[in-house]
Amino acid sequence: MTTFELVNPATAEVIGEVDHSDAAAVDDAVAAAQSAQRVWAGLAPAARAGRLRDFAAAVAAHRDELAALEVANSGHPIGQARWEADHVTDVLTYYAATPERLSGKQIPVTGGIDITFCEPIGVIGVITPWNFPMTIASWGFAPALAAGNAVIVKPAEWTPLTTIRLAELAEQAGLPPGLLQVLPGRGDVVGEAMLGHRGIGKIVFTGSTTTGRHVMARAAESVKRVTLELGGKSANIVFADCDLERAAATAPYGVFDNAGQDCCARSRILVQRSVHEKFMELLEPAVTGVRVGDPTDENTEMGPLVSRAHLEKVSSYVSDDAPVAFRGTAPDGPGFWFPPTVLTPQPTDRVVTEEIFGPVVAVLPFDDEADAVAIANATDYGLSGSIWTDDLSRALRVSRAVAAGNLSVNSHSSVRYSTPFGGFKQSGLGRELGPDAPLGFTETKNVFIAVSDGEGKP
Ligand code: NDP
């Protein structure tokens, strides 16, 4: 067992350390998960629903503790961290309804009856990133548990604390021991062992597209099921006919929330040429007005980047001769701070094509609707995006034409627990959240029952 130091991103101070699991721990965890899953699947649906509601209540009761942990470990502003803890409660509450509603079908056939069952897969592996540790973990474990599975979560090395606490709360709330386990550790040790383990039937992975490709390839060795939520380079398309003041006032929050460490960040703002100048005039005060600072301050809107290594990566995109239009502010001193930054680059620059995962946005002009759609789609990613227009027909046309899984018109919303979330193209595979997510953690079993004609004939 090795230990790993955890650092507060706002102060660069060490806040503690966590024991890292090794590959052998994965074997033990899978064995424990398999027996817990048998207990869990044997409970009455109403009993499983009740335990999940109790788990949701435990998360609600520890909301402030979880939020404080996320502030310290991830540097999230306190208001955002509370929202994240509440979101976990909501996700659990939503999927607590599943055990009593996960019904199969009765299909008309000749000679008998045919019914389908939604059988749990068994043990699910959830590998999470560091940008939204507890919410993303819950998108995997809540529907998976609700569908009758056990879950093993490997959190990102930098940000394991809230996930560890959630698993403790699950057990305290009455979930069978071993049903939800957390194995902190390295991706190339614990993550790899999970990918190779025959006792794990599905991997839910969120992270970079590069690692996602590797996860998919390794999953193929044992035909593991996979859900992948990967990177993004989403477009915020601003048409001349929109409420330009609102589009400009909200644009910073569409990309700088969570310091831009968001797979849905609208990191390319496409503005119709006829209003480009006016938009930039309106955008500047909105960007300089973003309150960047101490995450424990109730008024803070944007905190630091997650780590020194990530700060170095983000900084590499903004060299001294970068086409900076304007920047917001960020604290001096310790911590991994980077100010909101607006660039006006050429369409081929790497800041336009690569996921930066920091508070850096590229503004590009376009001529007409076809041009806007072409630029928006000129990426291997396809996760999210926004469309600003007061023309309803255009809003629908462009929504259908942009190749991305989650679009919002005249807003920047991406994630609701009750609606499906996931990416087109290299932004992912499969969907999380929404009413159908539990089905992604089941196998369909078909059973035909012959019915005799009552005269002894089959
Ligand atoms: P990764 O995709 O490498 O990490 C995501 C998770 O996968 C972590 O838990 C990581 O563990 C784990 N992992 C890493 N390697 C393996 C492996 N071989 N087998 C199994 N699991 C593995 O992302 P990074 O943290 O390196 O971030 C790099 C970039 O990825 C970011 O700058 C950003 O552009 C993008 N990203 C996108 C996210 C999204 O939500 N779409 C989220 C996070 C990052 P460990 O912590 O040990 O590395």
Side-chain angles (χ1 to χ4, degrees):
M1 186 99 69
T2 53
T3 55
F4 184 83
E5 278 187 347
L6 301 175
V7 175
N8 182 330
T11 62
E13 283 166 4
V14 174
I15 55 166
E17 54 183 31
V18 68
D19 290 334
H20 266 187
S21 304
D22 55 16
V26 176
D27 292 333
D28 296 344
V30 172
Q34 285 169 329
S35 31
Q37 193 268 333
R38 283 190 286 274
V39 173
W40 183 238
L43 293 178
R48 274 186 275 133
R51 302 275 170 90
L52 289 172
R53 283 195 291 271
D54 292 344
F55 183 11
V59 174
H62 292 81
R63 173 217 203 205
D64 289 338
E65 179 199 337
L66 288 161
L69 275 181
E70 208 65 275
V71 172
N73 192 183
S74 305
H76 292 188
I78 180 67
Q80 177 191 321
R82 284 197 201 105
W83 180 91
E84 289 165 20
D86 289 343
H87 182 79
V88 176
T89 300
D90 290 342
V91 171
L92 280 165
T93 305
Y94 182 69
Y95 290 115
T98 297
E100 295 179 281
R101 289 171 176 76
L102 197 62
S103 42
K105 290 180 179 158
Q106 182 266 310
I107 299 170
V109 290
T110 304
I113 61 171
D114 193 283
I115 48 179
T116 65
F117 295 89
C118 300
E119 303 284 12
I121 290 174
V123 180
I124 308 296
V126 177
I127 299 176
T128 59
W130 42 258
N131 57 334
F132 289 104
M134 64 178 144
T135 54
I136 291 177
S138 76
W139 301 352
F141 69 63
L145 295 172
N149 300 280
V151 177
I152 299 169
V153 186
K154 192 214 87 67
E157 283 178 63
W158 293 335
T159 56
L161 292 183
T162 47
T163 316
I164 293 170
R165 188 69 185 118
L166 285 172
E168 290 168 359
L169 293 173
E171 199 167 326
Q172 283 166 22
L175 268 69
L179 193 72
L180 174 59
Q181 299 174 68
V182 177
L183 292 184
R186 291 170 58 119
D188 59 2
V189 177
V190 176
E192 286 291 343
M194 288 168 71
L195 298 179
H197 203 295
R198 297 293 168 120
I200 294 178
K202 173 167 182 169
I203 295 284
V204 179
F205 171 82
T206 306
S208 62
T209 296
T210 305
T211 307
R213 279 190 208 105
H214 174 73
V215 167
M216 197 171 173
R218 290 233 46 212
E221 292 166 13
S222 55
V223 196
K224 278 187 184 28
R225 285 78 181 113
V226 285
T227 299
L228 304 174
E229 298 293 353
L230 309 176
K233 193 73 193 178
S234 298
N236 173 11
I237 309 175
V238 180
F239 286 99
D241 63 13
C242 79
D243 178 344
L244 204 64
E245 278 76 15
R246 244 184 89 223
T250 59
Y253 302 96
V255 57
F256 300 144
D257 270 1
N258 205 31
Q261 303 165 124
D262 183 342
C263 47
C264 293
R266 277 68 166 169
S267 52
R268 294 181 297 153
I269 305 179
L270 317 185
V271 187
Q272 195 150 19
R273 206 177 293 277
S274 57
V275 293
H276 186 268
E277 202 179 319
K278 177 73 182 158
F279 180 82
M280 292 301 273
E281 278 168 23
L282 293 166
L283 184 63
E284 183 163 4
V287 168
T288 53
V290 174
R291 292 189 294 268
V292 184
D294 179 0
T296 63
D297 184 332
E298 297 284 343
N299 295 315
T300 292
E301 294 176 312
M302 192 184 115
L305 293 168
V306 69
S307 68
R308 189 176 308 284
H310 192 55
L311 172 63
E312 282 164 14
K313 182 193 161 191
V314 172
S315 304
S316 76
Y317 284 93
V318 187
S319 54
D320 289 344
D321 58 351
V324 174
F326 39 82
R327 305 185 87 164
T329 58
D332 295 326
F336 312 128
W337 300 98
F338 197 89
T341 300
V342 178
L343 304 176
T344 46
Q346 295 304 308
T348 50
D349 281 5
R350 75 180 187 117
V351 292
V352 177
T353 56
E354 295 178 17
E355 183 178 48
I356 300 174
F357 229 58
V360 181
V361 68
V363 184
L364 300 165
F366 69 84
D367 293 316
D368 56 18
E369 193 177 307
D371 194 25
V373 170
I375 299 171
N377 287 339
T379 167
D380 287 335
Y381 295 116
L383 189 54
S384 184
S386 303
I387 297 149
W388 288 80
T389 175
D390 278 352
D391 179 335
L392 181 58
S393 296
R394 165 172 283 156
L396 285 170
R397 274 196 311 271
V398 177
S399 296
R400 298 301 299 273
V402 173
N406 302 85
L407 295 166
S408 51
V409 174
N410 296 334
S411 83
H412 298 297
S413 111
S414 290
V415 174
R416 290 186 176 79
Y417 58 82
S418 57
T419 59
F421 174 72
F424 280 33
K425 301 193 283 186
Q426 294 190 34
S427 282
L429 183 74
R431 294 292 178 271
E432 298 191 284
L433 299 174
D436 298 332
L439 291 174
F441 296 99
T442 66
E443 293 287 5
T444 301
K445 180 179 287 173
N446 192 69
V447 177
F448 170 75
I449 305 169
V451 178
S452 73
D453 63 4
E455 294 172 6
K457 293 186 198 143

Short mmCIF file of all heavy atoms in Angstrom, two decimals, residues 12-36:
data_model
loop_
_atom_site.label_atom_id
_atom_site.label_comp_id
_atom_site.label_asym_id
_atom_site.label_seq_id
_atom_site.Cartn_x
_atom_site.Cartn_y
_atom_site.Cartn_z
N ALA A 12 -2.41 25.53 -2.13
CA ALA A 12 -1.26 24.65 -2.41
C ALA A 12 -0.77 23.94 -1.15
O ALA A 12 0.33 23.39 -1.14
CB ALA A 12 -0.12 25.42 -3.09
N GLU A 13 -1.58 23.93 -0.08
CA GLU A 13 -1.18 23.23 1.15
C GLU A 13 -1.64 21.78 1.12
O GLU A 13 -2.73 21.48 0.62
CB GLU A 13 -1.82 23.91 2.37
CG GLU A 13 -1.13 25.20 2.76
CD GLU A 13 -1.97 26.03 3.73
OE1 GLU A 13 -3.04 25.56 4.16
OE2 GLU A 13 -1.53 27.15 4.03
N VAL A 14 -0.82 20.93 1.73
CA VAL A 14 -1.21 19.52 1.85
C VAL A 14 -2.31 19.42 2.90
O VAL A 14 -2.18 19.94 4.01
CB VAL A 14 0.02 18.66 2.24
CG1 VAL A 14 -0.41 17.23 2.52
CG2 VAL A 14 1.07 18.71 1.14
N ILE A 15 -3.41 18.76 2.53
CA ILE A 15 -4.53 18.67 3.49
C ILE A 15 -4.66 17.27 4.08
O ILE A 15 -5.51 17.02 4.93
CB ILE A 15 -5.88 19.05 2.82
CG1 ILE A 15 -6.12 18.21 1.56
CG2 ILE A 15 -5.90 20.54 2.52
CD1 ILE A 15 -7.55 18.29 1.05
N GLY A 16 -3.85 16.35 3.61
CA GLY A 16 -3.93 14.99 4.14
C GLY A 16 -3.38 14.03 3.13
O GLY A 16 -2.82 14.43 2.10
N GLU A 17 -3.51 12.76 3.46
CA GLU A 17 -3.07 11.77 2.49
C GLU A 17 -4.06 10.62 2.48
O GLU A 17 -4.85 10.45 3.42
CB GLU A 17 -1.64 11.29 2.80
CG GLU A 17 -1.45 10.78 4.20
CD GLU A 17 0.03 10.41 4.44
OE1 GLU A 17 0.91 11.05 3.84
OE2 GLU A 17 0.26 9.48 5.22
N VAL A 18 -4.00 9.87 1.41
CA VAL A 18 -4.93 8.76 1.27
C VAL A 18 -4.13 7.52 0.88
O VAL A 18 -3.12 7.63 0.17
CB VAL A 18 -6.03 9.11 0.22
CG1 VAL A 18 -5.46 9.21 -1.18
CG2 VAL A 18 -7.17 8.14 0.25
N ASP A 19 -4.55 6.38 1.43
CA ASP A 19 -3.89 5.12 1.06
C ASP A 19 -4.32 4.70 -0.32
O ASP A 19 -5.52 4.69 -0.63
CB ASP A 19 -4.27 4.02 2.07
CG ASP A 19 -3.65 4.27 3.43
OD1 ASP A 19 -2.60 4.95 3.48
OD2 ASP A 19 -4.21 3.80 4.43
N HIS A 20 -3.37 4.34 -1.14
CA HIS A 20 -3.68 3.86 -2.48
C HIS A 20 -3.83 2.34 -2.49
O HIS A 20 -3.00 1.63 -1.92
CB HIS A 20 -2.59 4.28 -3.47
CG HIS A 20 -2.91 5.57 -4.16
ND1 HIS A 20 -2.17 6.08 -5.19
CD2 HIS A 20 -3.94 6.44 -3.99
CE1 HIS A 20 -2.71 7.21 -5.61
NE2 HIS A 20 -3.77 7.45 -4.88
N SER A 21 -4.86 1.88 -3.16
CA SER A 21 -5.04 0.44 -3.31
C SER A 21 -4.10 -0.08 -4.38
O SER A 21 -3.61 0.68 -5.22
CB SER A 21 -6.48 0.14 -3.72
OG SER A 21 -7.38 0.70 -2.79
N ASP A 22 -3.90 -1.41 -4.36
CA ASP A 22 -3.11 -2.03 -5.42
C ASP A 22 -4.01 -2.98 -6.22
O ASP A 22 -5.22 -3.09 -5.95
CB ASP A 22 -1.90 -2.76 -4.84
CG ASP A 22 -2.30 -3.79 -3.78
OD1 ASP A 22 -3.51 -4.14 -3.75
OD2 ASP A 22 -1.43 -4.22 -3.01
N ALA A 23 -3.41 -3.67 -7.18
CA ALA A 23 -4.22 -4.53 -8.05
C ALA A 23 -4.88 -5.66 -7.27
O ALA A 23 -6.01 -6.05 -7.57
CB ALA A 23 -3.35 -5.08 -9.18
N ALA A 24 -4.19 -6.17 -6.24
CA ALA A 24 -4.77 -7.27 -5.46
C ALA A 24 -6.05 -6.82 -4.76
O ALA A 24 -6.98 -7.62 -4.57
CB ALA A 24 -3.76 -7.77 -4.42
N ALA A 25 -6.10 -5.53 -4.40
CA ALA A 25 -7.31 -5.01 -3.74
C ALA A 25 -8.53 -5.09 -4.66
O ALA A 25 -9.68 -5.21 -4.20
CB ALA A 25 -7.08 -3.58 -3.29
N VAL A 26 -8.27 -5.03 -5.96
CA VAL A 26 -9.39 -5.13 -6.91
C VAL A 26 -10.00 -6.54 -6.85
O VAL A 26 -11.23 -6.71 -6.85
CB VAL A 26 -8.93 -4.78 -8.34
CG1 VAL A 26 -10.06 -4.98 -9.35
CG2 VAL A 26 -8.43 -3.33 -8.39
N ASP A 27 -9.13 -7.56 -6.76
CA ASP A 27 -9.65 -8.94 -6.63
C ASP A 27 -10.53 -9.07 -5.39
O ASP A 27 -11.62 -9.62 -5.45
CB ASP A 27 -8.47 -9.94 -6.51
CG ASP A 27 -7.67 -10.04 -7.78
OD1 ASP A 27 -8.23 -9.78 -8.87
OD2 ASP A 27 -6.47 -10.36 -7.70
N ASP A 28 -10.02 -8.56 -4.25
CA ASP A 28 -10.79 -8.65 -3.01
C ASP A 28 -12.10 -7.89 -3.12
O ASP A 28 -13.16 -8.35 -2.67
CB ASP A 28 -9.98 -8.08 -1.83
CG ASP A 28 -8.72 -8.89 -1.56
OD1 ASP A 28 -8.63 -10.03 -2.06
OD2 ASP A 28 -7.81 -8.36 -0.88
N ALA A 29 -12.03 -6.69 -3.73
CA ALA A 29 -13.23 -5.87 -3.84
C ALA A 29 -14.28 -6.55 -4.72
O ALA A 29 -15.48 -6.52 -4.41
CB ALA A 29 -12.87 -4.49 -4.41
N VAL A 30 -13.84 -7.17 -5.79
CA VAL A 30 -14.80 -7.83 -6.68
C VAL A 30 -15.46 -9.00 -5.95
O VAL A 30 -16.69 -9.19 -6.04
CB VAL A 30 -14.12 -8.29 -8.00
CG1 VAL A 30 -15.09 -9.15 -8.83
CG2 VAL A 30 -13.66 -7.09 -8.82
N ALA A 31 -14.66 -9.77 -5.20
CA ALA A 31 -15.25 -10.91 -4.47
C ALA A 31 -16.29 -10.41 -3.47
O ALA A 31 -17.40 -10.97 -3.38
CB ALA A 31 -14.14 -11.68 -3.75
N ALA A 32 -15.96 -9.33 -2.74
CA ALA A 32 -16.92 -8.78 -1.77
C ALA A 32 -18.15 -8.22 -2.48
O ALA A 32 -19.28 -8.37 -2.01
CB ALA A 32 -16.25 -7.69 -0.94
N ALA A 33 -17.93 -7.60 -3.62
CA ALA A 33 -19.05 -7.01 -4.37
C ALA A 33 -19.98 -8.10 -4.89
O ALA A 33 -21.21 -7.94 -4.88
CB ALA A 33 -18.50 -6.19 -5.55
N GLN A 34 -19.39 -9.23 -5.32
CA GLN A 34 -20.24 -10.30 -5.84
C GLN A 34 -21.16 -10.84 -4.75
O GLN A 34 -22.34 -11.09 -5.00
CB GLN A 34 -19.37 -11.42 -6.43
CG GLN A 34 -18.78 -11.01 -7.78
CD GLN A 34 -17.71 -11.94 -8.30
OE1 GLN A 34 -16.98 -12.57 -7.50
NE2 GLN A 34 -17.57 -12.04 -9.62
N SER A 35 -20.63 -11.03 -3.53
CA SER A 35 -21.55 -11.55 -2.50
C SER A 35 -22.55 -10.49 -2.07
O SER A 35 -23.73 -10.81 -1.86
CB SER A 35 -20.84 -12.16 -1.29
OG SER A 35 -19.65 -11.57 -1.04
N ALA A 36 -22.12 -9.22 -1.99
CA ALA A 36 -23.09 -8.17 -1.63
C ALA A 36 -24.18 -8.05 -2.70
O ALA A 36 -25.36 -7.84 -2.37
CB ALA A 36 -22.36 -6.84 -1.49
#
